[in-house]
Each structure stands twice: as structure tokens, then as C-alpha cells.
Amino acid sequence: MRNLPLKEPSVLTVKGLRRILLVSGGVSARIFRMLNDVAIEAIETGVERITDEALERYKPVGEDEATFQ
């Protein structure tokens, strides 16, 4: 996650990584979209890192992503 413009390092646990796989279905494009959306939230809220909690709150938008929930 070095390429995301966050001030703090994002260290994810196995729980967070499982959440990414569950929501994305393992599809790379969906993983990148999820991480980008969560990174934007981290910047907007001032947290400046991706957390397991943010990944748990993430809800995909759009028909394609929602069907994989």
C-alpha cells in the first residue's frame, strides 16, 4: 500500500485481508477500487491510514460490486 497518498502506514491484520478478499471476490480491479475508496475515507476523516475497521465498514457501490456481497 505504498502508492496510496496516506501519511501513516496501513498495517492490516488477517481479518482485514480476509475482508478485502470477501468483498472483492479476489478480483484485482475490485481490490484496487476498495482500497482507493477506503484511502479516500481515511484522508477525509484525518485518520491517514487504512484500518481493519474501515474495511469492515466498506460497502461497495455499483451493481457489479454489490452482487458479490
Side-chain angles (χ1 to χ4, degrees):
M1 289 192 231
R2 289 181 168 176
N3 294 329
L4 296 174
L6 300 170
K7 294 178 183 175
E8 302 294 328
S10 299
V11 180
L12 302 177
T13 65
V14 171
K15 179 181 176 182
L17 296 172
R18 283 186 183 141
R19 175 72 177 158
I20 291 170
L21 288 175
L22 175 70
V23 172
S24 69
V27 177
S28 298
R30 290 188 184 115
I31 293 171
F32 295 134
R33 172 71 186 263
M34 180 181 187
L35 292 176
N36 190 55
D37 290 349
V38 176
I40 290 169
E41 177 189 329
I43 293 168
E44 291 175 344
T45 61
V47 175
E48 291 293 339
R49 63 188 171 92
I50 294 175
T51 63
D52 287 341
E53 293 79 16
L55 295 171
E56 286 296 321
R57 287 191 306 271
Y58 178 79
K59 301 284 188 246
V61 290
E63 290 179 35
D64 289 82
E65 294 177 39
T67 58
F68 287 93
Q69 278 283 300

Short mmCIF file of all heavy atoms in Angstrom, two decimals:
data_model
loop_
_atom_site.label_atom_id
_atom_site.label_comp_id
_atom_site.label_asym_id
_atom_site.label_seq_id
_atom_site.Cartn_x
_atom_site.Cartn_y
_atom_site.Cartn_z
N MET A 1 0.82 -1.19 0.00
CA MET A 1 0.00 0.00 0.00
C MET A 1 0.87 1.25 0.00
O MET A 1 0.44 2.29 0.42
CB MET A 1 -0.93 -0.02 1.20
CG MET A 1 -2.01 -1.04 1.08
SD MET A 1 -3.25 -0.82 2.30
CE MET A 1 -3.30 -2.46 2.93
N ARG A 2 2.04 1.13 -0.51
CA ARG A 2 2.95 2.26 -0.56
C ARG A 2 2.51 3.35 -1.51
O ARG A 2 2.90 4.50 -1.34
CB ARG A 2 4.33 1.79 -0.98
CG ARG A 2 5.03 0.99 0.05
CD ARG A 2 6.37 0.60 -0.46
NE ARG A 2 7.17 0.08 0.62
CZ ARG A 2 8.37 -0.41 0.47
NH1 ARG A 2 8.89 -0.46 -0.73
NH2 ARG A 2 9.04 -0.85 1.49
N ASN A 3 1.73 3.03 -2.52
CA ASN A 3 1.37 4.00 -3.53
C ASN A 3 0.15 4.84 -3.18
O ASN A 3 -0.21 5.72 -3.94
CB ASN A 3 1.15 3.31 -4.87
CG ASN A 3 2.44 2.72 -5.40
OD1 ASN A 3 3.51 3.25 -5.16
ND2 ASN A 3 2.33 1.62 -6.11
N LEU A 4 -0.48 4.56 -2.07
CA LEU A 4 -1.62 5.36 -1.65
C LEU A 4 -1.10 6.61 -0.95
O LEU A 4 -0.14 6.54 -0.19
CB LEU A 4 -2.53 4.56 -0.71
CG LEU A 4 -3.19 3.34 -1.34
CD1 LEU A 4 -3.94 2.55 -0.30
CD2 LEU A 4 -4.12 3.74 -2.46
N PRO A 5 -1.72 7.76 -1.19
CA PRO A 5 -1.21 9.02 -0.64
C PRO A 5 -1.59 9.24 0.83
O PRO A 5 -2.19 10.25 1.19
CB PRO A 5 -1.87 10.06 -1.54
CG PRO A 5 -3.18 9.44 -1.90
CD PRO A 5 -2.89 7.96 -2.03
N LEU A 6 -1.24 8.30 1.67
CA LEU A 6 -1.58 8.41 3.09
C LEU A 6 -0.33 8.75 3.90
O LEU A 6 0.76 8.27 3.58
CB LEU A 6 -2.20 7.10 3.58
CG LEU A 6 -3.48 6.68 2.86
CD1 LEU A 6 -3.88 5.27 3.25
CD2 LEU A 6 -4.60 7.66 3.14
N LYS A 7 -0.51 9.53 4.94
CA LYS A 7 0.62 9.96 5.76
C LYS A 7 1.12 8.88 6.71
O LYS A 7 2.27 8.89 7.10
CB LYS A 7 0.25 11.21 6.55
CG LYS A 7 0.00 12.41 5.67
CD LYS A 7 -0.41 13.61 6.48
CE LYS A 7 -0.71 14.79 5.55
NZ LYS A 7 -1.21 15.94 6.30
N GLU A 8 0.25 7.97 7.10
CA GLU A 8 0.60 6.92 8.05
C GLU A 8 0.61 5.56 7.35
O GLU A 8 -0.15 5.34 6.41
CB GLU A 8 -0.42 6.88 9.20
CG GLU A 8 -0.54 8.18 9.97
CD GLU A 8 0.72 8.52 10.74
OE1 GLU A 8 1.42 7.61 11.20
OE2 GLU A 8 1.00 9.73 10.86
N PRO A 9 1.43 4.64 7.82
CA PRO A 9 1.42 3.30 7.22
C PRO A 9 0.14 2.54 7.56
O PRO A 9 -0.41 2.70 8.65
CB PRO A 9 2.64 2.61 7.84
CG PRO A 9 2.96 3.39 9.06
CD PRO A 9 2.44 4.78 8.85
N SER A 10 -0.32 1.76 6.64
CA SER A 10 -1.51 0.93 6.84
C SER A 10 -1.05 -0.50 7.08
O SER A 10 -0.51 -1.14 6.17
CB SER A 10 -2.42 1.00 5.62
OG SER A 10 -2.85 2.32 5.38
N VAL A 11 -1.26 -0.99 8.29
CA VAL A 11 -0.88 -2.36 8.63
C VAL A 11 -2.17 -3.13 8.87
O VAL A 11 -2.90 -2.86 9.82
CB VAL A 11 0.02 -2.39 9.89
CG1 VAL A 11 0.39 -3.81 10.22
CG2 VAL A 11 1.25 -1.52 9.68
N LEU A 12 -2.43 -4.09 7.98
CA LEU A 12 -3.68 -4.84 8.07
C LEU A 12 -3.43 -6.20 8.69
O LEU A 12 -2.40 -6.83 8.45
CB LEU A 12 -4.29 -5.00 6.68
CG LEU A 12 -4.58 -3.70 5.94
CD1 LEU A 12 -5.11 -4.00 4.56
CD2 LEU A 12 -5.55 -2.84 6.71
N THR A 13 -4.42 -6.65 9.42
CA THR A 13 -4.35 -7.98 10.01
C THR A 13 -4.96 -9.00 9.04
O THR A 13 -5.49 -8.63 7.98
CB THR A 13 -5.14 -8.04 11.33
OG1 THR A 13 -6.53 -7.83 11.04
CG2 THR A 13 -4.66 -6.98 12.33
N VAL A 14 -4.90 -10.23 9.41
CA VAL A 14 -5.52 -11.29 8.61
C VAL A 14 -7.01 -11.00 8.44
O VAL A 14 -7.58 -11.21 7.37
CB VAL A 14 -5.28 -12.67 9.25
CG1 VAL A 14 -6.08 -13.75 8.56
CG2 VAL A 14 -3.79 -13.00 9.23
N LYS A 15 -7.64 -10.48 9.48
CA LYS A 15 -9.06 -10.15 9.42
C LYS A 15 -9.34 -9.13 8.30
O LYS A 15 -10.27 -9.29 7.52
CB LYS A 15 -9.52 -9.59 10.77
CG LYS A 15 -10.97 -9.18 10.82
CD LYS A 15 -11.32 -8.63 12.18
CE LYS A 15 -12.75 -8.13 12.21
NZ LYS A 15 -13.10 -7.55 13.49
N GLY A 16 -8.52 -8.10 8.22
CA GLY A 16 -8.69 -7.08 7.19
C GLY A 16 -8.46 -7.63 5.79
O GLY A 16 -9.19 -7.32 4.85
N LEU A 17 -7.44 -8.47 5.66
CA LEU A 17 -7.14 -9.06 4.36
C LEU A 17 -8.26 -10.01 3.92
O LEU A 17 -8.62 -10.05 2.74
CB LEU A 17 -5.80 -9.79 4.41
CG LEU A 17 -4.59 -8.88 4.67
CD1 LEU A 17 -3.35 -9.72 4.90
CD2 LEU A 17 -4.41 -7.89 3.55
N ARG A 18 -8.83 -10.74 4.87
CA ARG A 18 -9.97 -11.61 4.53
C ARG A 18 -11.16 -10.79 4.07
O ARG A 18 -11.88 -11.19 3.16
CB ARG A 18 -10.35 -12.46 5.74
CG ARG A 18 -9.43 -13.61 5.97
CD ARG A 18 -9.93 -14.51 7.07
NE ARG A 18 -8.97 -15.57 7.31
CZ ARG A 18 -8.65 -16.04 8.50
NH1 ARG A 18 -9.24 -15.57 9.57
NH2 ARG A 18 -7.77 -16.99 8.62
N ARG A 19 -11.38 -9.66 4.71
CA ARG A 19 -12.48 -8.78 4.33
C ARG A 19 -12.30 -8.28 2.89
O ARG A 19 -13.25 -8.26 2.10
CB ARG A 19 -12.58 -7.60 5.31
CG ARG A 19 -13.60 -6.56 4.95
CD ARG A 19 -15.00 -7.03 5.16
NE ARG A 19 -15.91 -5.93 4.85
CZ ARG A 19 -17.15 -6.08 4.53
NH1 ARG A 19 -17.70 -7.27 4.52
NH2 ARG A 19 -17.90 -5.05 4.24
N ILE A 20 -11.08 -7.92 2.55
CA ILE A 20 -10.79 -7.47 1.19
C ILE A 20 -11.14 -8.57 0.19
O ILE A 20 -11.80 -8.33 -0.82
CB ILE A 20 -9.32 -7.05 1.05
CG1 ILE A 20 -9.06 -5.76 1.85
CG2 ILE A 20 -8.94 -6.85 -0.42
CD1 ILE A 20 -7.60 -5.39 1.97
N LEU A 21 -10.72 -9.79 0.48
CA LEU A 21 -11.00 -10.91 -0.43
C LEU A 21 -12.49 -11.22 -0.50
O LEU A 21 -13.02 -11.52 -1.57
CB LEU A 21 -10.22 -12.14 -0.02
CG LEU A 21 -8.72 -12.08 -0.29
CD1 LEU A 21 -8.02 -13.31 0.26
CD2 LEU A 21 -8.45 -11.94 -1.78
N LEU A 22 -13.17 -11.15 0.63
CA LEU A 22 -14.60 -11.42 0.67
C LEU A 22 -15.38 -10.42 -0.19
O LEU A 22 -16.20 -10.80 -1.02
CB LEU A 22 -15.12 -11.40 2.11
CG LEU A 22 -16.63 -11.56 2.27
CD1 LEU A 22 -17.04 -12.98 1.91
CD2 LEU A 22 -17.04 -11.23 3.69
N VAL A 23 -15.11 -9.15 0.03
CA VAL A 23 -15.85 -8.10 -0.68
C VAL A 23 -15.50 -8.07 -2.16
O VAL A 23 -16.36 -7.87 -3.01
CB VAL A 23 -15.59 -6.72 -0.03
CG1 VAL A 23 -16.18 -5.60 -0.86
CG2 VAL A 23 -16.16 -6.70 1.38
N SER A 24 -14.24 -8.30 -2.48
CA SER A 24 -13.78 -8.17 -3.86
C SER A 24 -13.96 -9.43 -4.68
O SER A 24 -13.87 -9.39 -5.91
CB SER A 24 -12.30 -7.79 -3.88
OG SER A 24 -11.52 -8.88 -3.42
N GLY A 25 -14.13 -10.56 -4.01
CA GLY A 25 -14.18 -11.83 -4.72
C GLY A 25 -12.84 -12.19 -5.31
O GLY A 25 -12.75 -13.05 -6.18
N GLY A 26 -11.79 -11.51 -4.86
CA GLY A 26 -10.44 -11.78 -5.35
C GLY A 26 -10.14 -11.13 -6.69
O GLY A 26 -9.08 -11.36 -7.27
N VAL A 27 -11.05 -10.31 -7.19
CA VAL A 27 -10.87 -9.63 -8.48
C VAL A 27 -10.02 -8.38 -8.26
O VAL A 27 -10.39 -7.50 -7.48
CB VAL A 27 -12.23 -9.27 -9.11
CG1 VAL A 27 -12.04 -8.50 -10.41
CG2 VAL A 27 -13.06 -10.52 -9.33
N SER A 28 -8.89 -8.32 -8.95
CA SER A 28 -7.92 -7.23 -8.74
C SER A 28 -8.55 -5.85 -8.87
O SER A 28 -8.30 -4.97 -8.04
CB SER A 28 -6.76 -7.35 -9.73
OG SER A 28 -6.08 -8.54 -9.54
N ALA A 29 -9.34 -5.64 -9.87
CA ALA A 29 -9.94 -4.32 -10.08
C ALA A 29 -10.81 -3.91 -8.89
O ALA A 29 -10.81 -2.75 -8.48
CB ALA A 29 -10.77 -4.31 -11.36
N ARG A 30 -11.52 -4.87 -8.33
CA ARG A 30 -12.36 -4.57 -7.16
C ARG A 30 -11.51 -4.31 -5.92
O ARG A 30 -11.86 -3.49 -5.09
CB ARG A 30 -13.32 -5.72 -6.91
CG ARG A 30 -14.39 -5.80 -7.97
CD ARG A 30 -15.47 -6.82 -7.59
NE ARG A 30 -16.41 -6.93 -8.67
CZ ARG A 30 -16.59 -8.03 -9.38
NH1 ARG A 30 -15.91 -9.12 -9.11
NH2 ARG A 30 -17.47 -8.05 -10.35
N ILE A 31 -10.40 -5.02 -5.79
CA ILE A 31 -9.49 -4.78 -4.66
C ILE A 31 -8.95 -3.36 -4.74
O ILE A 31 -8.96 -2.62 -3.75
CB ILE A 31 -8.34 -5.81 -4.65
CG1 ILE A 31 -8.89 -7.20 -4.34
CG2 ILE A 31 -7.27 -5.40 -3.64
CD1 ILE A 31 -7.87 -8.32 -4.53
N PHE A 32 -8.49 -2.96 -5.94
CA PHE A 32 -7.95 -1.61 -6.10
C PHE A 32 -9.01 -0.55 -5.83
O PHE A 32 -8.73 0.47 -5.20
CB PHE A 32 -7.35 -1.43 -7.49
CG PHE A 32 -6.16 -2.29 -7.75
CD1 PHE A 32 -6.05 -3.00 -8.93
CD2 PHE A 32 -5.14 -2.43 -6.81
CE1 PHE A 32 -4.96 -3.82 -9.18
CE2 PHE A 32 -4.04 -3.24 -7.05
CZ PHE A 32 -3.94 -3.93 -8.24
N ARG A 33 -10.22 -0.80 -6.30
CA ARG A 33 -11.32 0.15 -6.07
C ARG A 33 -11.62 0.27 -4.58
O ARG A 33 -11.77 1.37 -4.04
CB ARG A 33 -12.57 -0.32 -6.82
CG ARG A 33 -13.83 0.45 -6.54
CD ARG A 33 -13.77 1.85 -7.13
NE ARG A 33 -14.90 2.65 -6.76
CZ ARG A 33 -15.99 2.82 -7.51
NH1 ARG A 33 -16.07 2.25 -8.68
NH2 ARG A 33 -16.96 3.57 -7.09
N MET A 34 -11.67 -0.85 -3.90
CA MET A 34 -11.94 -0.85 -2.46
C MET A 34 -10.87 -0.09 -1.70
O MET A 34 -11.17 0.78 -0.87
CB MET A 34 -12.03 -2.29 -1.95
CG MET A 34 -12.31 -2.41 -0.49
SD MET A 34 -12.36 -4.17 -0.04
CE MET A 34 -12.90 -4.05 1.66
N LEU A 35 -9.60 -0.40 -1.99
CA LEU A 35 -8.51 0.27 -1.29
C LEU A 35 -8.50 1.76 -1.58
O LEU A 35 -8.24 2.57 -0.69
CB LEU A 35 -7.17 -0.38 -1.65
CG LEU A 35 -6.99 -1.80 -1.13
CD1 LEU A 35 -5.67 -2.38 -1.63
CD2 LEU A 35 -7.06 -1.85 0.39
N ASN A 36 -8.79 2.13 -2.82
CA ASN A 36 -8.85 3.54 -3.17
C ASN A 36 -9.97 4.24 -2.40
O ASN A 36 -9.76 5.33 -1.84
CB ASN A 36 -9.06 3.69 -4.68
CG ASN A 36 -8.90 5.11 -5.14
OD1 ASN A 36 -7.88 5.74 -4.90
ND2 ASN A 36 -9.92 5.62 -5.81
N ASP A 37 -11.15 3.64 -2.36
CA ASP A 37 -12.28 4.24 -1.65
C ASP A 37 -12.00 4.37 -0.16
O ASP A 37 -12.31 5.40 0.46
CB ASP A 37 -13.55 3.41 -1.86
CG ASP A 37 -14.10 3.50 -3.27
OD1 ASP A 37 -13.64 4.36 -4.06
OD2 ASP A 37 -15.00 2.70 -3.60
N VAL A 38 -11.40 3.35 0.43
CA VAL A 38 -11.09 3.39 1.86
C VAL A 38 -9.98 4.41 2.13
O VAL A 38 -10.00 5.09 3.16
CB VAL A 38 -10.74 1.98 2.38
CG1 VAL A 38 -10.32 2.01 3.83
CG2 VAL A 38 -11.93 1.05 2.22
N ALA A 39 -9.03 4.55 1.22
CA ALA A 39 -7.97 5.55 1.37
C ALA A 39 -8.55 6.96 1.32
O ALA A 39 -8.15 7.82 2.11
CB ALA A 39 -6.92 5.37 0.29
N ILE A 40 -9.50 7.19 0.43
CA ILE A 40 -10.16 8.50 0.36
C ILE A 40 -10.85 8.80 1.68
O ILE A 40 -10.74 9.91 2.22
CB ILE A 40 -11.14 8.55 -0.83
CG1 ILE A 40 -10.36 8.55 -2.14
CG2 ILE A 40 -12.07 9.76 -0.73
CD1 ILE A 40 -11.21 8.34 -3.37
N GLU A 41 -11.55 7.81 2.22
CA GLU A 41 -12.21 8.00 3.52
C GLU A 41 -11.18 8.32 4.60
O GLU A 41 -11.40 9.19 5.45
CB GLU A 41 -12.99 6.75 3.91
CG GLU A 41 -13.63 6.86 5.29
CD GLU A 41 -14.22 5.55 5.78
OE1 GLU A 41 -14.67 4.74 4.97
OE2 GLU A 41 -14.20 5.34 7.01
N ALA A 42 -10.05 7.63 4.57
CA ALA A 42 -9.01 7.87 5.57
C ALA A 42 -8.48 9.30 5.50
O ALA A 42 -8.22 9.93 6.53
CB ALA A 42 -7.87 6.87 5.39
N ILE A 43 -8.34 9.82 4.30
CA ILE A 43 -7.88 11.20 4.13
C ILE A 43 -8.94 12.17 4.61
O ILE A 43 -8.66 13.11 5.36
CB ILE A 43 -7.50 11.46 2.66
CG1 ILE A 43 -6.27 10.64 2.29
CG2 ILE A 43 -7.27 12.95 2.42
CD1 ILE A 43 -5.98 10.58 0.81
N GLU A 44 -10.19 11.93 4.21
CA GLU A 44 -11.28 12.84 4.58
C GLU A 44 -11.52 12.88 6.08
O GLU A 44 -11.88 13.93 6.62
CB GLU A 44 -12.57 12.43 3.86
CG GLU A 44 -12.52 12.67 2.38
CD GLU A 44 -13.74 12.17 1.63
OE1 GLU A 44 -14.52 11.35 2.19
OE2 GLU A 44 -13.92 12.58 0.48
N THR A 45 -11.32 11.76 6.76
CA THR A 45 -11.55 11.72 8.21
C THR A 45 -10.31 12.10 9.02
O THR A 45 -10.39 12.23 10.23
CB THR A 45 -12.02 10.32 8.65
OG1 THR A 45 -11.00 9.37 8.32
CG2 THR A 45 -13.34 9.95 8.00
N GLY A 46 -9.17 12.23 8.33
CA GLY A 46 -7.95 12.61 9.03
C GLY A 46 -7.20 11.45 9.66
O GLY A 46 -6.19 11.64 10.32
N VAL A 47 -7.67 10.23 9.45
CA VAL A 47 -7.01 9.05 10.02
C VAL A 47 -5.69 8.79 9.30
O VAL A 47 -4.72 8.37 9.92
CB VAL A 47 -7.94 7.81 9.93
CG1 VAL A 47 -7.23 6.55 10.39
CG2 VAL A 47 -9.20 8.05 10.75
N GLU A 48 -5.67 9.03 8.01
CA GLU A 48 -4.47 8.92 7.18
C GLU A 48 -3.84 7.53 7.12
O GLU A 48 -2.64 7.38 6.90
CB GLU A 48 -3.42 9.95 7.62
CG GLU A 48 -3.79 11.37 7.32
CD GLU A 48 -3.85 11.72 5.84
OE1 GLU A 48 -3.23 11.02 5.02
OE2 GLU A 48 -4.52 12.71 5.52
N ARG A 49 -4.64 6.49 7.34
CA ARG A 49 -4.18 5.11 7.16
C ARG A 49 -5.41 4.24 6.99
O ARG A 49 -6.50 4.57 7.45
CB ARG A 49 -3.32 4.62 8.31
CG ARG A 49 -4.02 4.56 9.64
CD ARG A 49 -3.02 4.25 10.76
NE ARG A 49 -3.65 4.41 12.04
CZ ARG A 49 -4.25 3.42 12.71
NH1 ARG A 49 -4.27 2.22 12.22
NH2 ARG A 49 -4.80 3.65 13.87
N ILE A 50 -5.23 3.10 6.36
CA ILE A 50 -6.32 2.15 6.20
C ILE A 50 -6.31 1.21 7.39
O ILE A 50 -5.27 0.65 7.74
CB ILE A 50 -6.17 1.37 4.88
CG1 ILE A 50 -6.34 2.33 3.69
CG2 ILE A 50 -7.20 0.23 4.79
CD1 ILE A 50 -6.08 1.70 2.35
N THR A 51 -7.46 1.04 8.01
CA THR A 51 -7.58 0.19 9.18
C THR A 51 -8.53 -0.97 8.89
O THR A 51 -9.35 -0.91 7.97
CB THR A 51 -8.12 0.98 10.38
OG1 THR A 51 -9.45 1.44 10.07
CG2 THR A 51 -7.24 2.17 10.72
N ASP A 52 -8.43 -2.00 9.71
CA ASP A 52 -9.38 -3.11 9.60
C ASP A 52 -10.81 -2.63 9.79
O ASP A 52 -11.73 -3.10 9.13
CB ASP A 52 -9.06 -4.19 10.64
CG ASP A 52 -7.80 -4.98 10.31
OD1 ASP A 52 -7.36 -4.97 9.13
OD2 ASP A 52 -7.26 -5.60 11.23
N GLU A 53 -11.00 -1.68 10.69
CA GLU A 53 -12.34 -1.16 10.96
C GLU A 53 -12.91 -0.47 9.74
O GLU A 53 -14.10 -0.61 9.43
CB GLU A 53 -12.31 -0.18 12.15
CG GLU A 53 -11.97 -0.83 13.47
CD GLU A 53 -10.47 -1.10 13.67
OE1 GLU A 53 -9.63 -0.52 12.93
OE2 GLU A 53 -10.14 -1.91 14.55
N ALA A 54 -12.08 0.28 9.03
CA ALA A 54 -12.55 0.95 7.80
C ALA A 54 -12.93 -0.07 6.75
O ALA A 54 -13.92 0.11 6.03
CB ALA A 54 -11.46 1.88 7.28
N LEU A 55 -12.19 -1.15 6.66
CA LEU A 55 -12.52 -2.21 5.71
C LEU A 55 -13.82 -2.88 6.08
O LEU A 55 -14.61 -3.25 5.21
CB LEU A 55 -11.38 -3.23 5.63
CG LEU A 55 -10.07 -2.71 5.07
CD1 LEU A 55 -8.96 -3.74 5.26
CD2 LEU A 55 -10.21 -2.32 3.61
N GLU A 56 -14.08 -3.05 7.36
CA GLU A 56 -15.35 -3.66 7.80
C GLU A 56 -16.53 -2.77 7.45
O GLU A 56 -17.61 -3.26 7.12
CB GLU A 56 -15.32 -3.92 9.31
CG GLU A 56 -14.46 -5.09 9.71
CD GLU A 56 -14.97 -6.42 9.17
OE1 GLU A 56 -16.19 -6.67 9.15
OE2 GLU A 56 -14.12 -7.22 8.76
N ARG A 57 -16.35 -1.45 7.51
CA ARG A 57 -17.43 -0.51 7.21
C ARG A 57 -17.68 -0.38 5.71
O ARG A 57 -18.74 0.07 5.30
CB ARG A 57 -17.10 0.88 7.76
CG ARG A 57 -17.20 1.03 9.23
CD ARG A 57 -17.13 2.49 9.64
NE ARG A 57 -15.94 3.18 9.13
CZ ARG A 57 -14.77 3.24 9.73
NH1 ARG A 57 -14.59 2.65 10.89
NH2 ARG A 57 -13.75 3.91 9.19
N TYR A 58 -16.72 -0.73 4.90
CA TYR A 58 -16.80 -0.52 3.46
C TYR A 58 -17.97 -1.26 2.84
O TYR A 58 -18.16 -2.45 3.06
CB TYR A 58 -15.50 -0.96 2.78
CG TYR A 58 -15.55 -0.82 1.28
CD1 TYR A 58 -15.38 0.42 0.68
CD2 TYR A 58 -15.78 -1.92 0.47
CE1 TYR A 58 -15.42 0.55 -0.70
CE2 TYR A 58 -15.82 -1.80 -0.91
CZ TYR A 58 -15.64 -0.56 -1.49
OH TYR A 58 -15.70 -0.44 -2.85
N LYS A 59 -18.73 -0.55 2.06
CA LYS A 59 -19.84 -1.13 1.28
C LYS A 59 -19.61 -0.76 -0.18
O LYS A 59 -19.50 0.41 -0.51
CB LYS A 59 -21.18 -0.56 1.73
CG LYS A 59 -21.51 -0.79 3.18
CD LYS A 59 -21.94 -2.20 3.42
CE LYS A 59 -22.46 -2.39 4.83
NZ LYS A 59 -21.69 -3.23 5.65
N PRO A 60 -19.51 -1.75 -1.06
CA PRO A 60 -19.30 -1.44 -2.47
C PRO A 60 -20.48 -0.70 -3.07
O PRO A 60 -21.62 -0.91 -2.66
CB PRO A 60 -19.12 -2.80 -3.12
CG PRO A 60 -19.63 -3.80 -2.16
CD PRO A 60 -19.61 -3.17 -0.81
N VAL A 61 -20.18 0.16 -4.01
CA VAL A 61 -21.23 0.88 -4.73
C VAL A 61 -21.22 0.42 -6.17
O VAL A 61 -20.18 0.13 -6.73
CB VAL A 61 -21.03 2.41 -4.65
CG1 VAL A 61 -21.30 2.93 -3.27
CG2 VAL A 61 -19.65 2.81 -5.10
N GLY A 62 -22.37 0.33 -6.74
CA GLY A 62 -22.48 -0.13 -8.12
C GLY A 62 -23.03 -1.54 -8.17
O GLY A 62 -22.81 -2.34 -7.27
N GLU A 63 -23.75 -1.83 -9.20
CA GLU A 63 -24.41 -3.13 -9.31
C GLU A 63 -23.43 -4.29 -9.35
O GLU A 63 -23.63 -5.31 -8.71
CB GLU A 63 -25.27 -3.16 -10.57
CG GLU A 63 -26.47 -2.26 -10.47
CD GLU A 63 -27.28 -2.31 -11.75
OE1 GLU A 63 -27.36 -3.38 -12.37
OE2 GLU A 63 -27.85 -1.27 -12.12
N ASP A 64 -22.35 -4.16 -10.11
CA ASP A 64 -21.39 -5.26 -10.26
C ASP A 64 -20.80 -5.66 -8.92
O ASP A 64 -20.71 -6.83 -8.59
CB ASP A 64 -20.25 -4.89 -11.21
CG ASP A 64 -20.73 -4.81 -12.63
OD1 ASP A 64 -21.29 -3.77 -13.01
OD2 ASP A 64 -20.55 -5.79 -13.34
N GLU A 65 -20.38 -4.67 -8.13
CA GLU A 65 -19.75 -4.97 -6.86
C GLU A 65 -20.76 -5.45 -5.82
O GLU A 65 -20.46 -6.32 -5.02
CB GLU A 65 -19.00 -3.75 -6.36
CG GLU A 65 -17.83 -3.41 -7.24
CD GLU A 65 -17.12 -2.15 -6.82
OE1 GLU A 65 -16.98 -1.96 -5.60
OE2 GLU A 65 -16.71 -1.40 -7.68
N ALA A 66 -21.95 -4.89 -5.83
CA ALA A 66 -22.95 -5.25 -4.83
C ALA A 66 -23.38 -6.71 -4.97
O ALA A 66 -23.72 -7.36 -3.99
CB ALA A 66 -24.16 -4.32 -4.94
N THR A 67 -23.36 -7.25 -6.18
CA THR A 67 -23.81 -8.62 -6.36
C THR A 67 -22.85 -9.62 -5.74
O THR A 67 -23.22 -10.76 -5.51
CB THR A 67 -23.97 -8.95 -7.86
OG1 THR A 67 -22.72 -8.75 -8.52
CG2 THR A 67 -25.04 -8.13 -8.50
N PHE A 68 -21.63 -9.22 -5.46
CA PHE A 68 -20.65 -10.13 -4.87
C PHE A 68 -20.66 -10.06 -3.35
O PHE A 68 -19.81 -10.67 -2.73
CB PHE A 68 -19.26 -9.80 -5.41
CG PHE A 68 -19.10 -10.23 -6.84
CD1 PHE A 68 -19.34 -9.36 -7.87
CD2 PHE A 68 -18.74 -11.54 -7.13
CE1 PHE A 68 -19.21 -9.77 -9.18
CE2 PHE A 68 -18.61 -11.95 -8.45
CZ PHE A 68 -18.85 -11.06 -9.47
N GLN A 69 -21.57 -9.36 -2.74
CA GLN A 69 -21.63 -9.27 -1.28
C GLN A 69 -22.24 -10.50 -0.68
O GLN A 69 -23.07 -11.14 -1.16
CB GLN A 69 -22.46 -8.06 -0.86
CG GLN A 69 -21.66 -6.80 -0.88
CD GLN A 69 -20.74 -6.72 0.31
OE1 GLN A 69 -21.20 -6.73 1.43
NE2 GLN A 69 -19.45 -6.64 0.10
#
